[in-house]
mmCIF file of all heavy atoms in Angstrom:
data_model
loop_
_atom_site.group_PDB
_atom_site.id
_atom_site.type_symbol
_atom_site.label_atom_id
_atom_site.label_comp_id
_atom_site.label_asym_id
_atom_site.label_seq_id
_atom_site.Cartn_x
_atom_site.Cartn_y
_atom_site.Cartn_z
ATOM 1 N N MET A 1 14.054 -98.126 -68.221
ATOM 2 C CA MET A 1 15.316 -97.781 -68.941
ATOM 3 C C MET A 1 15.446 -96.262 -68.982
ATOM 4 O O MET A 1 14.478 -95.562 -69.275
ATOM 5 C CB MET A 1 15.355 -98.282 -70.346
ATOM 6 C CG MET A 1 15.569 -99.886 -70.335
ATOM 7 S SD MET A 1 17.229 -100.253 -70.573
ATOM 8 C CE MET A 1 17.334 -100.394 -72.423
ATOM 9 N N ALA A 2 16.549 -95.736 -68.626
ATOM 10 C CA ALA A 2 16.805 -94.223 -68.636
ATOM 11 C C ALA A 2 17.160 -93.819 -70.059
ATOM 12 O O ALA A 2 17.851 -94.643 -70.783
ATOM 13 C CB ALA A 2 17.959 -93.993 -67.650
ATOM 14 N N GLN A 3 16.617 -92.693 -70.372
ATOM 15 C CA GLN A 3 17.022 -92.153 -71.708
ATOM 16 C C GLN A 3 18.355 -91.478 -71.637
ATOM 17 O O GLN A 3 18.627 -90.789 -70.645
ATOM 18 C CB GLN A 3 15.838 -91.176 -72.043
ATOM 19 C CG GLN A 3 14.573 -91.894 -72.519
ATOM 20 C CD GLN A 3 13.595 -90.913 -73.193
ATOM 21 O OE1 GLN A 3 13.537 -89.729 -72.640
ATOM 22 N NE2 GLN A 3 12.994 -91.213 -74.208
ATOM 23 N N ILE A 4 19.041 -91.641 -72.677
ATOM 24 C CA ILE A 4 20.335 -91.037 -72.707
ATOM 25 C C ILE A 4 20.226 -89.719 -73.588
ATOM 26 O O ILE A 4 19.987 -89.769 -74.719
ATOM 27 C CB ILE A 4 21.397 -91.898 -73.303
ATOM 28 C CG1 ILE A 4 21.476 -93.165 -72.354
ATOM 29 C CG2 ILE A 4 22.768 -91.276 -73.371
ATOM 30 C CD1 ILE A 4 22.452 -94.312 -72.976
ATOM 31 N N SER A 5 20.534 -88.619 -72.929
ATOM 32 C CA SER A 5 20.480 -87.324 -73.667
ATOM 33 C C SER A 5 21.811 -86.932 -74.254
ATOM 34 O O SER A 5 22.952 -87.283 -73.749
ATOM 35 C CB SER A 5 20.157 -86.234 -72.700
ATOM 36 O OG SER A 5 20.366 -84.949 -73.206
ATOM 37 N N LYS A 6 21.811 -86.322 -75.433
ATOM 38 C CA LYS A 6 23.014 -85.829 -76.073
ATOM 39 C C LYS A 6 23.700 -84.782 -75.239
ATOM 40 O O LYS A 6 24.827 -84.526 -75.389
ATOM 41 C CB LYS A 6 22.636 -85.311 -77.483
ATOM 42 C CG LYS A 6 22.339 -86.317 -78.525
ATOM 43 C CD LYS A 6 22.010 -85.612 -79.908
ATOM 44 C CE LYS A 6 21.559 -86.784 -80.824
ATOM 45 N NZ LYS A 6 21.187 -86.037 -82.199
ATOM 46 N N ASN A 7 22.859 -84.173 -74.450
ATOM 47 C CA ASN A 7 23.464 -83.001 -73.665
ATOM 48 C C ASN A 7 23.847 -83.441 -72.218
ATOM 49 O O ASN A 7 24.201 -82.637 -71.441
ATOM 50 C CB ASN A 7 22.352 -81.926 -73.563
ATOM 51 C CG ASN A 7 22.047 -81.277 -74.912
ATOM 52 O OD1 ASN A 7 22.966 -81.218 -75.714
ATOM 53 N ND2 ASN A 7 20.752 -80.965 -75.112
ATOM 54 N N ALA A 8 23.828 -84.699 -72.002
ATOM 55 C CA ALA A 8 24.174 -85.158 -70.702
ATOM 56 C C ALA A 8 25.697 -84.885 -70.461
ATOM 57 O O ALA A 8 26.475 -85.204 -71.403
ATOM 58 C CB ALA A 8 23.945 -86.647 -70.529
ATOM 59 N N ARG A 9 26.002 -84.338 -69.344
ATOM 60 C CA ARG A 9 27.399 -84.047 -68.967
ATOM 61 C C ARG A 9 27.648 -84.451 -67.583
ATOM 62 O O ARG A 9 26.725 -84.615 -66.813
ATOM 63 C CB ARG A 9 27.628 -82.492 -69.032
ATOM 64 C CG ARG A 9 27.465 -82.000 -70.436
ATOM 65 C CD ARG A 9 27.758 -80.527 -70.447
ATOM 66 N NE ARG A 9 27.532 -79.936 -71.735
ATOM 67 C CZ ARG A 9 27.511 -78.589 -71.954
ATOM 68 N NH1 ARG A 9 27.845 -77.809 -70.979
ATOM 69 N NH2 ARG A 9 27.277 -78.088 -73.147
ATOM 70 N N THR A 10 28.946 -84.695 -67.357
ATOM 71 C CA THR A 10 29.297 -85.000 -65.930
ATOM 72 C C THR A 10 29.201 -83.767 -65.158
ATOM 73 O O THR A 10 29.665 -82.690 -65.527
ATOM 74 C CB THR A 10 30.740 -85.548 -65.934
ATOM 75 O OG1 THR A 10 31.679 -84.759 -66.588
ATOM 76 C CG2 THR A 10 30.800 -86.979 -66.569
ATOM 77 N N ALA A 11 28.663 -83.878 -63.960
ATOM 78 C CA ALA A 11 28.322 -82.756 -63.092
ATOM 79 C C ALA A 11 29.649 -82.161 -62.390
ATOM 80 O O ALA A 11 29.660 -81.070 -61.993
ATOM 81 C CB ALA A 11 27.294 -83.033 -62.069
ATOM 82 N N SER A 12 30.664 -82.994 -62.280
ATOM 83 C CA SER A 12 31.858 -82.694 -61.487
ATOM 84 C C SER A 12 32.514 -81.400 -61.907
ATOM 85 O O SER A 12 32.971 -80.578 -60.973
ATOM 86 C CB SER A 12 32.819 -83.841 -61.507
ATOM 87 O OG SER A 12 33.271 -84.042 -62.881
ATOM 88 N N ALA A 13 32.610 -81.145 -63.209
ATOM 89 C CA ALA A 13 33.338 -79.880 -63.579
ATOM 90 C C ALA A 13 32.550 -78.656 -63.414
ATOM 91 O O ALA A 13 33.051 -77.575 -63.455
ATOM 92 C CB ALA A 13 33.719 -80.114 -65.105
ATOM 93 N N THR A 14 31.160 -78.740 -63.371
ATOM 94 C CA THR A 14 30.364 -77.579 -63.256
ATOM 95 C C THR A 14 29.821 -77.380 -61.907
ATOM 96 O O THR A 14 29.041 -76.415 -61.673
ATOM 97 C CB THR A 14 29.259 -77.747 -64.299
ATOM 98 O OG1 THR A 14 28.568 -78.878 -64.066
ATOM 99 C CG2 THR A 14 29.740 -77.672 -65.725
ATOM 100 N N GLN A 15 30.185 -78.151 -60.901
ATOM 101 C CA GLN A 15 29.663 -78.065 -59.681
ATOM 102 C C GLN A 15 30.220 -76.847 -58.985
ATOM 103 O O GLN A 15 31.412 -76.450 -59.093
ATOM 104 C CB GLN A 15 30.129 -79.254 -58.792
ATOM 105 C CG GLN A 15 29.092 -79.869 -57.899
ATOM 106 C CD GLN A 15 29.489 -81.127 -57.297
ATOM 107 O OE1 GLN A 15 30.383 -81.767 -57.689
ATOM 108 N NE2 GLN A 15 28.728 -81.590 -56.367
ATOM 109 N N ARG A 16 29.367 -76.112 -58.168
ATOM 110 C CA ARG A 16 29.849 -74.949 -57.536
ATOM 111 C C ARG A 16 29.668 -75.048 -56.009
ATOM 112 O O ARG A 16 28.747 -75.702 -55.554
ATOM 113 C CB ARG A 16 28.952 -73.765 -57.986
ATOM 114 C CG ARG A 16 29.257 -73.277 -59.387
ATOM 115 C CD ARG A 16 28.562 -72.094 -59.701
ATOM 116 N NE ARG A 16 28.959 -71.609 -61.034
ATOM 117 C CZ ARG A 16 28.597 -70.491 -61.593
ATOM 118 N NH1 ARG A 16 27.828 -69.623 -60.897
ATOM 119 N NH2 ARG A 16 29.080 -70.136 -62.817
ATOM 120 N N PHE A 17 30.635 -74.455 -55.280
ATOM 121 C CA PHE A 17 30.607 -74.548 -53.850
ATOM 122 C C PHE A 17 30.826 -73.060 -53.374
ATOM 123 O O PHE A 17 31.445 -72.264 -54.023
ATOM 124 C CB PHE A 17 31.835 -75.366 -53.424
ATOM 125 C CG PHE A 17 31.672 -76.844 -53.717
ATOM 126 C CD1 PHE A 17 32.201 -77.332 -54.914
ATOM 127 C CD2 PHE A 17 31.020 -77.681 -52.931
ATOM 128 C CE1 PHE A 17 32.091 -78.656 -55.262
ATOM 129 C CE2 PHE A 17 30.857 -79.053 -53.231
ATOM 130 C CZ PHE A 17 31.445 -79.523 -54.428
ATOM 131 N N TYR A 18 30.320 -72.887 -52.147
ATOM 132 C CA TYR A 18 30.374 -71.555 -51.647
ATOM 133 C C TYR A 18 30.943 -71.595 -50.182
ATOM 134 O O TYR A 18 30.602 -72.522 -49.367
ATOM 135 C CB TYR A 18 28.909 -70.868 -51.532
ATOM 136 C CG TYR A 18 28.484 -70.531 -52.928
ATOM 137 C CD1 TYR A 18 27.771 -71.489 -53.773
ATOM 138 C CD2 TYR A 18 28.847 -69.380 -53.599
ATOM 139 C CE1 TYR A 18 27.348 -71.255 -54.985
ATOM 140 C CE2 TYR A 18 28.476 -69.016 -54.895
ATOM 141 C CZ TYR A 18 27.644 -70.009 -55.591
ATOM 142 O OH TYR A 18 27.263 -69.729 -56.837
ATOM 143 N N CYS A 19 31.789 -70.739 -49.914
ATOM 144 C CA CYS A 19 32.469 -70.541 -48.606
ATOM 145 C C CYS A 19 31.483 -70.032 -47.585
ATOM 146 O O CYS A 19 30.398 -69.434 -47.953
ATOM 147 C CB CYS A 19 33.604 -69.631 -48.763
ATOM 148 S SG CYS A 19 34.470 -69.277 -47.237
ATOM 149 N N SER A 20 31.795 -70.222 -46.339
ATOM 150 C CA SER A 20 30.883 -69.744 -45.302
ATOM 151 C C SER A 20 30.855 -68.203 -45.231
ATOM 152 O O SER A 20 29.941 -67.668 -44.715
ATOM 153 C CB SER A 20 31.325 -70.336 -43.864
ATOM 154 O OG SER A 20 32.783 -69.935 -43.697
ATOM 155 N N CYS A 21 31.766 -67.566 -45.888
ATOM 156 C CA CYS A 21 31.792 -66.053 -45.963
ATOM 157 C C CYS A 21 30.835 -65.702 -47.011
ATOM 158 O O CYS A 21 30.540 -64.429 -47.224
ATOM 159 C CB CYS A 21 33.199 -65.505 -46.166
ATOM 160 S SG CYS A 21 33.777 -65.659 -47.855
ATOM 161 N N GLY A 22 30.361 -66.478 -47.934
ATOM 162 C CA GLY A 22 29.497 -66.167 -49.027
ATOM 163 C C GLY A 22 30.242 -66.083 -50.333
ATOM 164 O O GLY A 22 29.615 -65.977 -51.448
ATOM 165 N N GLY A 23 31.574 -66.173 -50.375
ATOM 166 C CA GLY A 23 32.290 -66.136 -51.617
ATOM 167 C C GLY A 23 32.225 -67.428 -52.342
ATOM 168 O O GLY A 23 32.042 -68.434 -51.687
ATOM 169 N N GLU A 24 32.497 -67.344 -53.632
ATOM 170 C CA GLU A 24 32.388 -68.628 -54.422
ATOM 171 C C GLU A 24 33.758 -69.285 -54.332
ATOM 172 O O GLU A 24 34.840 -68.633 -54.407
ATOM 173 C CB GLU A 24 32.077 -68.239 -55.870
ATOM 174 C CG GLU A 24 31.813 -69.437 -56.612
ATOM 175 C CD GLU A 24 31.329 -69.216 -58.034
ATOM 176 O OE1 GLU A 24 30.880 -68.051 -58.314
ATOM 177 O OE2 GLU A 24 31.396 -70.073 -58.885
ATOM 178 N N VAL A 25 33.705 -70.543 -54.234
ATOM 179 C CA VAL A 25 34.934 -71.388 -54.164
ATOM 180 C C VAL A 25 35.337 -71.812 -55.542
ATOM 181 O O VAL A 25 34.554 -72.326 -56.317
ATOM 182 C CB VAL A 25 34.734 -72.639 -53.287
ATOM 183 C CG1 VAL A 25 35.895 -73.498 -53.214
ATOM 184 C CG2 VAL A 25 34.348 -72.154 -51.814
ATOM 185 N N LYS A 26 36.591 -71.523 -55.882
ATOM 186 C CA LYS A 26 37.085 -71.837 -57.145
ATOM 187 C C LYS A 26 38.099 -72.990 -57.045
ATOM 188 O O LYS A 26 39.016 -72.923 -56.151
ATOM 189 C CB LYS A 26 37.728 -70.673 -57.871
ATOM 190 C CG LYS A 26 36.763 -69.545 -58.087
ATOM 191 C CD LYS A 26 36.047 -69.707 -59.505
ATOM 192 C CE LYS A 26 35.118 -68.541 -59.673
ATOM 193 N NZ LYS A 26 34.481 -68.505 -61.049
ATOM 194 N N MET A 27 38.234 -73.881 -57.970
ATOM 195 C CA MET A 27 39.226 -74.881 -58.013
ATOM 196 C C MET A 27 40.502 -74.396 -58.582
ATOM 197 O O MET A 27 40.524 -73.722 -59.600
ATOM 198 C CB MET A 27 38.806 -76.073 -58.698
ATOM 199 C CG MET A 27 37.613 -76.835 -58.018
ATOM 200 S SD MET A 27 38.007 -77.345 -56.369
ATOM 201 C CE MET A 27 39.329 -78.393 -56.580
ATOM 202 N N LYS A 28 41.610 -74.676 -57.974
ATOM 203 C CA LYS A 28 42.930 -74.324 -58.518
ATOM 204 C C LYS A 28 43.732 -75.589 -58.662
ATOM 205 O O LYS A 28 43.645 -76.511 -57.933
ATOM 206 C CB LYS A 28 43.618 -73.409 -57.532
ATOM 207 C CG LYS A 28 43.090 -72.005 -57.483
ATOM 208 C CD LYS A 28 43.775 -71.195 -56.380
ATOM 209 C CE LYS A 28 45.147 -70.751 -56.821
ATOM 210 N NZ LYS A 28 45.876 -70.016 -55.820
ATOM 211 N N THR A 29 44.520 -75.616 -59.675
ATOM 212 C CA THR A 29 45.437 -76.744 -59.907
ATOM 213 C C THR A 29 46.886 -76.284 -59.515
ATOM 214 O O THR A 29 47.302 -75.188 -59.973
ATOM 215 C CB THR A 29 45.359 -77.166 -61.371
ATOM 216 O OG1 THR A 29 44.112 -77.539 -61.732
ATOM 217 C CG2 THR A 29 46.225 -78.458 -61.511
ATOM 218 N N VAL A 30 47.444 -76.926 -58.643
ATOM 219 C CA VAL A 30 48.766 -76.549 -58.078
ATOM 220 C C VAL A 30 49.701 -77.687 -58.287
ATOM 221 O O VAL A 30 49.404 -78.870 -58.024
ATOM 222 C CB VAL A 30 48.627 -76.166 -56.626
ATOM 223 C CG1 VAL A 30 49.995 -75.745 -56.066
ATOM 224 C CG2 VAL A 30 47.577 -75.106 -56.323
ATOM 225 N N PHE A 31 50.920 -77.259 -58.740
ATOM 226 C CA PHE A 31 51.953 -78.336 -58.852
ATOM 227 C C PHE A 31 52.878 -78.239 -57.610
ATOM 228 O O PHE A 31 53.379 -77.168 -57.337
ATOM 229 C CB PHE A 31 52.796 -78.022 -60.006
ATOM 230 C CG PHE A 31 52.024 -78.155 -61.387
ATOM 231 C CD1 PHE A 31 51.374 -77.116 -61.973
ATOM 232 C CD2 PHE A 31 51.864 -79.490 -61.933
ATOM 233 C CE1 PHE A 31 50.664 -77.314 -63.137
ATOM 234 C CE2 PHE A 31 51.246 -79.610 -63.114
ATOM 235 C CZ PHE A 31 50.599 -78.530 -63.724
ATOM 236 N N ALA A 32 52.946 -79.374 -56.975
ATOM 237 C CA ALA A 32 53.706 -79.437 -55.712
ATOM 238 C C ALA A 32 54.454 -80.678 -55.629
ATOM 239 O O ALA A 32 53.900 -81.787 -55.646
ATOM 240 C CB ALA A 32 52.889 -79.184 -54.472
ATOM 241 N N GLY A 33 55.843 -80.644 -55.544
ATOM 242 C CA GLY A 33 56.582 -81.823 -55.432
ATOM 243 C C GLY A 33 56.499 -82.788 -56.510
ATOM 244 O O GLY A 33 56.456 -83.991 -56.355
ATOM 245 N N GLY A 34 56.216 -82.225 -57.725
ATOM 246 C CA GLY A 34 56.054 -83.138 -58.952
ATOM 247 C C GLY A 34 54.777 -83.729 -59.069
ATOM 248 O O GLY A 34 54.496 -84.471 -60.014
ATOM 249 N N LYS A 35 53.898 -83.331 -58.232
ATOM 250 C CA LYS A 35 52.468 -83.883 -58.267
ATOM 251 C C LYS A 35 51.460 -82.725 -58.562
ATOM 252 O O LYS A 35 51.712 -81.600 -58.186
ATOM 253 C CB LYS A 35 52.140 -84.557 -57.011
ATOM 254 C CG LYS A 35 52.852 -85.919 -56.851
ATOM 255 C CD LYS A 35 52.349 -86.563 -55.576
ATOM 256 C CE LYS A 35 53.029 -87.882 -55.325
ATOM 257 N NZ LYS A 35 52.530 -88.577 -54.142
ATOM 258 N N VAL A 36 50.405 -83.096 -59.239
ATOM 259 C CA VAL A 36 49.444 -82.089 -59.428
ATOM 260 C C VAL A 36 48.325 -82.257 -58.335
ATOM 261 O O VAL A 36 47.842 -83.306 -58.121
ATOM 262 C CB VAL A 36 48.736 -82.412 -60.826
ATOM 263 C CG1 VAL A 36 47.669 -81.361 -61.068
ATOM 264 C CG2 VAL A 36 49.765 -82.259 -61.930
ATOM 265 N N LYS A 37 48.045 -81.105 -57.755
ATOM 266 C CA LYS A 37 47.026 -81.065 -56.650
ATOM 267 C C LYS A 37 45.946 -80.122 -56.979
ATOM 268 O O LYS A 37 46.156 -79.077 -57.575
ATOM 269 C CB LYS A 37 47.665 -80.611 -55.351
ATOM 270 C CG LYS A 37 48.486 -81.627 -54.709
ATOM 271 C CD LYS A 37 48.958 -81.214 -53.296
ATOM 272 C CE LYS A 37 49.681 -82.290 -52.493
ATOM 273 N NZ LYS A 37 50.091 -81.695 -51.121
ATOM 274 N N ASN A 38 44.781 -80.534 -56.615
ATOM 275 C CA ASN A 38 43.689 -79.566 -56.681
ATOM 276 C C ASN A 38 43.428 -78.939 -55.398
ATOM 277 O O ASN A 38 43.243 -79.602 -54.351
ATOM 278 C CB ASN A 38 42.416 -80.408 -57.171
ATOM 279 C CG ASN A 38 42.530 -80.719 -58.568
ATOM 280 O OD1 ASN A 38 42.845 -79.823 -59.474
ATOM 281 N ND2 ASN A 38 42.255 -81.923 -59.057
ATOM 282 N N LEU A 39 43.382 -77.644 -55.433
ATOM 283 C CA LEU A 39 43.051 -76.935 -54.243
ATOM 284 C C LEU A 39 41.729 -76.065 -54.467
ATOM 285 O O LEU A 39 41.555 -75.596 -55.606
ATOM 286 C CB LEU A 39 44.191 -75.911 -53.931
ATOM 287 C CG LEU A 39 45.279 -76.311 -52.966
ATOM 288 C CD1 LEU A 39 46.269 -75.073 -52.792
ATOM 289 C CD2 LEU A 39 44.777 -76.618 -51.582
ATOM 290 N N ALA A 40 41.055 -75.926 -53.451
ATOM 291 C CA ALA A 40 39.810 -75.085 -53.478
ATOM 292 C C ALA A 40 40.166 -73.841 -52.758
ATOM 293 O O ALA A 40 40.575 -73.826 -51.708
ATOM 294 C CB ALA A 40 38.687 -75.828 -52.900
ATOM 295 N N GLU A 41 39.853 -72.733 -53.437
ATOM 296 C CA GLU A 41 40.090 -71.410 -52.815
ATOM 297 C C GLU A 41 38.890 -70.544 -52.893
ATOM 298 O O GLU A 41 38.262 -70.357 -54.037
ATOM 299 C CB GLU A 41 41.296 -70.663 -53.514
ATOM 300 C CG GLU A 41 41.718 -69.450 -52.835
ATOM 301 C CD GLU A 41 42.810 -68.735 -53.627
ATOM 302 O OE1 GLU A 41 42.469 -68.150 -54.657
ATOM 303 O OE2 GLU A 41 43.954 -68.739 -53.117
ATOM 304 N N CYS A 42 38.571 -69.888 -51.841
ATOM 305 C CA CYS A 42 37.541 -68.918 -51.782
ATOM 306 C C CYS A 42 37.973 -67.579 -52.502
ATOM 307 O O CYS A 42 39.032 -67.094 -52.189
ATOM 308 C CB CYS A 42 37.113 -68.592 -50.412
ATOM 309 S SG CYS A 42 35.814 -67.251 -50.222
ATOM 310 N N GLU A 43 37.075 -67.056 -53.367
ATOM 311 C CA GLU A 43 37.404 -65.849 -54.075
ATOM 312 C C GLU A 43 37.474 -64.717 -53.164
ATOM 313 O O GLU A 43 38.225 -63.762 -53.366
ATOM 314 C CB GLU A 43 36.348 -65.566 -55.127
ATOM 315 C CG GLU A 43 36.467 -66.231 -56.498
ATOM 316 C CD GLU A 43 35.614 -65.733 -57.518
ATOM 317 O OE1 GLU A 43 34.413 -65.402 -57.096
ATOM 318 O OE2 GLU A 43 35.920 -65.568 -58.603
ATOM 319 N N LYS A 44 36.693 -64.715 -52.160
ATOM 320 C CA LYS A 44 36.471 -63.579 -51.304
ATOM 321 C C LYS A 44 37.466 -63.403 -50.169
ATOM 322 O O LYS A 44 38.105 -62.341 -50.018
ATOM 323 C CB LYS A 44 35.071 -63.662 -50.723
ATOM 324 C CG LYS A 44 34.401 -62.308 -50.393
ATOM 325 C CD LYS A 44 32.915 -62.445 -50.045
ATOM 326 C CE LYS A 44 32.338 -61.234 -49.340
ATOM 327 N NZ LYS A 44 30.931 -61.493 -49.010
ATOM 328 N N CYS A 45 37.609 -64.451 -49.415
ATOM 329 C CA CYS A 45 38.477 -64.438 -48.227
ATOM 330 C C CYS A 45 39.855 -65.117 -48.398
ATOM 331 O O CYS A 45 40.608 -65.187 -47.517
ATOM 332 C CB CYS A 45 37.715 -64.944 -46.886
ATOM 333 S SG CYS A 45 37.435 -66.722 -47.026
ATOM 334 N N LYS A 46 39.952 -65.736 -49.618
ATOM 335 C CA LYS A 46 41.174 -66.399 -49.974
ATOM 336 C C LYS A 46 41.508 -67.608 -49.130
ATOM 337 O O LYS A 46 42.689 -68.002 -49.084
ATOM 338 C CB LYS A 46 42.435 -65.489 -49.970
ATOM 339 C CG LYS A 46 42.162 -64.183 -50.870
ATOM 340 C CD LYS A 46 42.044 -64.653 -52.355
ATOM 341 C CE LYS A 46 41.774 -63.410 -53.142
ATOM 342 N NZ LYS A 46 41.456 -63.821 -54.572
ATOM 343 N N ARG A 47 40.509 -68.086 -48.408
ATOM 344 C CA ARG A 47 40.699 -69.297 -47.629
ATOM 345 C C ARG A 47 40.977 -70.501 -48.620
ATOM 346 O O ARG A 47 40.279 -70.623 -49.557
ATOM 347 C CB ARG A 47 39.457 -69.518 -46.783
ATOM 348 C CG ARG A 47 39.536 -70.738 -45.946
ATOM 349 C CD ARG A 47 38.191 -70.864 -45.110
ATOM 350 N NE ARG A 47 37.918 -72.229 -44.759
ATOM 351 C CZ ARG A 47 36.811 -72.659 -44.236
ATOM 352 N NH1 ARG A 47 35.777 -71.761 -44.166
ATOM 353 N NH2 ARG A 47 36.507 -73.855 -43.865
ATOM 354 N N GLN A 48 41.901 -71.261 -48.198
ATOM 355 C CA GLN A 48 42.174 -72.475 -48.983
ATOM 356 C C GLN A 48 41.883 -73.764 -48.199
ATOM 357 O O GLN A 48 42.268 -73.963 -47.093
ATOM 358 C CB GLN A 48 43.597 -72.488 -49.427
ATOM 359 C CG GLN A 48 43.887 -71.418 -50.491
ATOM 360 C CD GLN A 48 45.242 -71.495 -51.081
ATOM 361 O OE1 GLN A 48 46.178 -71.931 -50.457
ATOM 362 N NE2 GLN A 48 45.420 -70.996 -52.273
ATOM 363 N N GLU A 49 41.287 -74.735 -48.935
ATOM 364 C CA GLU A 49 41.032 -76.057 -48.376
ATOM 365 C C GLU A 49 41.401 -77.033 -49.496
ATOM 366 O O GLU A 49 41.456 -76.769 -50.606
ATOM 367 C CB GLU A 49 39.544 -76.135 -47.968
ATOM 368 C CG GLU A 49 38.979 -75.202 -46.996
ATOM 369 C CD GLU A 49 39.610 -75.392 -45.585
ATOM 370 O OE1 GLU A 49 40.231 -76.566 -45.360
ATOM 371 O OE2 GLU A 49 39.388 -74.614 -44.759
ATOM 372 N N ARG A 50 41.579 -78.238 -48.978
ATOM 373 C CA ARG A 50 41.933 -79.303 -49.878
ATOM 374 C C ARG A 50 40.793 -79.727 -50.795
ATOM 375 O O ARG A 50 40.886 -80.122 -51.911
ATOM 376 C CB ARG A 50 42.515 -80.471 -49.130
ATOM 377 C CG ARG A 50 43.829 -80.169 -48.493
ATOM 378 C CD ARG A 50 44.411 -81.314 -47.623
ATOM 379 N NE ARG A 50 44.832 -82.418 -48.458
ATOM 380 C CZ ARG A 50 45.257 -83.576 -47.946
ATOM 381 N NH1 ARG A 50 45.179 -83.815 -46.714
ATOM 382 N NH2 ARG A 50 45.627 -84.551 -48.800
ATOM 383 N N ARG A 51 39.577 -79.685 -50.181
ATOM 384 C CA ARG A 51 38.369 -80.050 -50.920
ATOM 385 C C ARG A 51 37.391 -78.930 -50.811
ATOM 386 O O ARG A 51 37.173 -78.400 -49.749
ATOM 387 C CB ARG A 51 37.833 -81.316 -50.340
ATOM 388 C CG ARG A 51 38.743 -82.581 -50.480
ATOM 389 C CD ARG A 51 38.230 -83.651 -49.669
ATOM 390 N NE ARG A 51 39.179 -84.800 -49.621
ATOM 391 C CZ ARG A 51 39.048 -85.771 -50.559
ATOM 392 N NH1 ARG A 51 38.181 -85.757 -51.442
ATOM 393 N NH2 ARG A 51 39.886 -86.861 -50.523
ATOM 394 N N PRO A 52 36.664 -78.756 -51.880
ATOM 395 C CA PRO A 52 35.513 -77.785 -51.837
ATOM 396 C C PRO A 52 34.570 -78.010 -50.685
ATOM 397 O O PRO A 52 33.944 -77.143 -50.109
ATOM 398 C CB PRO A 52 34.865 -77.820 -53.170
ATOM 399 C CG PRO A 52 35.889 -78.505 -54.030
ATOM 400 C CD PRO A 52 36.798 -79.421 -53.108
ATOM 401 N N ARG A 53 34.278 -79.275 -50.409
ATOM 402 C CA ARG A 53 33.327 -79.686 -49.355
ATOM 403 C C ARG A 53 33.701 -79.169 -47.958
ATOM 404 O O ARG A 53 32.946 -78.949 -47.132
ATOM 405 C CB ARG A 53 33.251 -81.212 -49.281
ATOM 406 C CG ARG A 53 32.728 -81.919 -50.476
ATOM 407 C CD ARG A 53 32.525 -83.375 -50.178
ATOM 408 N NE ARG A 53 32.374 -84.075 -51.417
ATOM 409 C CZ ARG A 53 33.357 -84.698 -52.109
ATOM 410 N NH1 ARG A 53 34.538 -84.753 -51.571
ATOM 411 N NH2 ARG A 53 33.078 -85.340 -53.163
ATOM 412 N N ASP A 54 35.006 -78.878 -47.785
ATOM 413 C CA ASP A 54 35.526 -78.471 -46.485
ATOM 414 C C ASP A 54 34.987 -77.093 -46.114
ATOM 415 O O ASP A 54 35.171 -76.645 -45.004
ATOM 416 C CB ASP A 54 37.092 -78.562 -46.410
ATOM 417 C CG ASP A 54 37.542 -79.948 -46.476
ATOM 418 O OD1 ASP A 54 36.723 -80.939 -46.217
ATOM 419 O OD2 ASP A 54 38.775 -80.214 -46.675
ATOM 420 N N PHE A 55 34.531 -76.343 -47.151
ATOM 421 C CA PHE A 55 34.149 -74.984 -46.806
ATOM 422 C C PHE A 55 32.733 -74.967 -46.094
ATOM 423 O O PHE A 55 32.390 -73.952 -45.540
ATOM 424 C CB PHE A 55 34.018 -74.180 -48.108
ATOM 425 C CG PHE A 55 35.365 -73.719 -48.610
ATOM 426 C CD1 PHE A 55 36.071 -74.521 -49.488
ATOM 427 C CD2 PHE A 55 35.824 -72.557 -48.201
ATOM 428 C CE1 PHE A 55 37.351 -74.069 -49.960
ATOM 429 C CE2 PHE A 55 37.098 -72.096 -48.676
ATOM 430 C CZ PHE A 55 37.841 -72.912 -49.523
ATOM 431 N N LYS A 56 32.039 -76.041 -46.099
ATOM 432 C CA LYS A 56 30.624 -76.016 -45.522
ATOM 433 C C LYS A 56 30.763 -76.324 -44.041
ATOM 434 O O LYS A 56 31.702 -76.894 -43.551
ATOM 435 C CB LYS A 56 29.823 -77.090 -46.185
ATOM 436 C CG LYS A 56 29.463 -76.641 -47.628
ATOM 437 C CD LYS A 56 28.611 -77.615 -48.324
ATOM 438 C CE LYS A 56 28.360 -77.149 -49.761
ATOM 439 N NZ LYS A 56 27.561 -78.102 -50.507
HETATM 440 ZN ZN1 ZN B 1 35.409 -67.212 -47.936
#
């Protein structure tokens, strides 16, 4: 049985991704066509991808 820690958190919000240029990828929330979209943008080269995984 796994122990449940009080400090256990979901990793999704704190996950970090890095662009191939070395810049950190930040998540952006964009409203487009009445829908909320999450975009990943590199701080350094401003490259945008739909998912942070696409930077690798
Ligand atoms: Zn970059």
Side-chain angles (χ1 to χ4, degrees):
M1 288 264 268
Q3 285 188 318
I4 299 169
S5 167
K6 285 180 184 175
N7 294 322
R9 293 179 188 175
T10 51
S12 59
T14 53
Q15 223 170 350
R16 287 189 177 187
F17 293 91
Y18 292 91
C19 177
S20 53
C21 78
E24 189 174 342
V25 175
K26 299 272 183 173
M27 291 306 296
K28 290 177 72 181
T29 306
V30 179
F31 295 93
K35 287 184 180 180
V36 180
K37 281 185 172 183
N38 284 312
L39 265 182
E41 186 185 74
C42 171
E43 274 191 324
K44 205 171 170 182
C45 68
K46 304 298 177 189
R47 177 179 158 194
Q48 290 186 333
E49 299 289 351
R50 293 175 72 183
R51 296 167 185 270
R53 290 185 198 99
D54 293 344
F55 283 91
K56 290 180 182 177

